[in-house]
Amino acid sequence: MDFDNLAHLPLDQQQLVRTVTNRLHSEYAGTFGPETIQRFVVDSLQLLLPTAKVTSFLPVLVEKFARDQLRALGKLDGSLPSAVPSVLFLCVHNAGRSQMAAGWLRHLAGDRATVYSGGSEPASEINPAAVNAMAEVGIDITEEFPKPWTDQIVQAADVVITMGCGDACPLYPGKRYEDWELDDPAGQDLGAVRLI
């Protein structure tokens, strides 16, 4: 693979891009070329880096985010057709409401739906009260992380559910949208988050 075009990145980020690109290339060989995979890995890194509190987890998060984007691209271009509906939950910080809703849908639908979430201004971490409230009902969202929405994921979603992101939420013609009026769990105690 050609990694010559990474010179603008610091050495640790170049290594991250190489490692993640190679791993995803073995997963998507024959579907996407190495340049496409690398572009999504670099894009994912640049989108997640500004809010990353603990950079030691960044390779795992970049890989998950790049995988989501590649899966969405594959649905859009027909190279990875999907027979299951995809749902995108959007809010401002992607740290509470949208993560809890995504957790519920993953729990209820299993592999009968593809679930995405994103935010217009992603936080640096998921709201601990949201994690605790979901754990109380047996749903683990500890491996999730705040991330921005991307055009590929919005376009690949069959349904976009917004929660308080207002004008910042993306609107695409012909897409099914629902707006859920839910309080923001940011700064709320566990009791309030349970209700949300």
Side-chain angles (χ1 to χ4, degrees):
M1 275 186 242
D2 177 23
F3 291 108
D4 293 340
N5 59 351
L6 301 178
H8 66 286
L9 296 175
L11 290 176
D12 61 330
Q13 292 177 21
Q14 289 181 36
Q15 183 58 40
L16 183 156
V17 169
R18 285 185 187 97
T19 301
V20 172
T21 299
N22 284 330
R23 220 176 0 250
L24 289 173
H25 184 261
S26 65
E27 187 175 331
Y28 289 105
T31 304
F32 299 115
E35 298 81 11
T36 299
I37 294 170
Q38 180 180 308
R39 180 171 48 90
F40 279 97
V41 171
V42 170
D43 182 55
S44 296
L45 172 64
Q46 291 174 337
L47 288 170
L48 295 176
L49 198 55
T51 58
K53 276 179 109 172
V54 182
T55 56
S56 58
F57 296 116
L58 204 51
V60 173
L61 303 181
V62 166
E63 183 173 342
K64 287 176 79 170
F65 192 34
R67 183 177 287 112
D68 280 350
Q69 292 191 76
L70 288 166
R71 185 174 50 189
L73 176 63
K75 181 177 178 181
L76 290 172
D77 72 11
S79 61
L80 294 171
S82 176
V84 300
S86 56
V87 180
L88 169 61
F89 295 97
L90 293 177
C91 67
V92 177
H93 301 296
N94 191 221
R97 294 170 287 195
S98 57
Q99 293 288 356
M100 291 189 296
W104 271 111
L105 183 56
R106 284 186 189 100
H107 174 75
L108 295 170
D111 60 1
R112 295 181 313 243
T114 301
V115 182
Y116 300 107
S117 70
S120 55
E121 298 172 22
S124 59
E125 62 187 357
I126 291 187
N127 181 334
V131 172
N132 291 336
M134 295 298 285
E136 288 180 350
V137 294
I139 300 173
D140 182 4
I141 60 170
T142 57
E143 292 189 13
E144 297 304 321
F145 56 98
K147 57 203 147 305
W149 53 268
T150 66
D151 285 339
Q152 289 81 17
I153 291 175
V154 176
Q155 290 177 30
D158 296 303
V159 179
V160 178
I161 299 173
T162 61
M163 300 171 217
C165 53
D167 293 341
C169 284
L171 291 173
Y172 289 92
K175 183 123 340 252
R176 178 177 166 199
Y177 285 88
E178 291 186 21
D179 186 49
W180 291 359
E181 292 186 28
L182 298 169
D183 292 334
D184 189 346
Q188 306 272 2
D189 65 19
L190 184 58
V193 176
R194 281 186 193 116
L195 294 174
I196 294 168

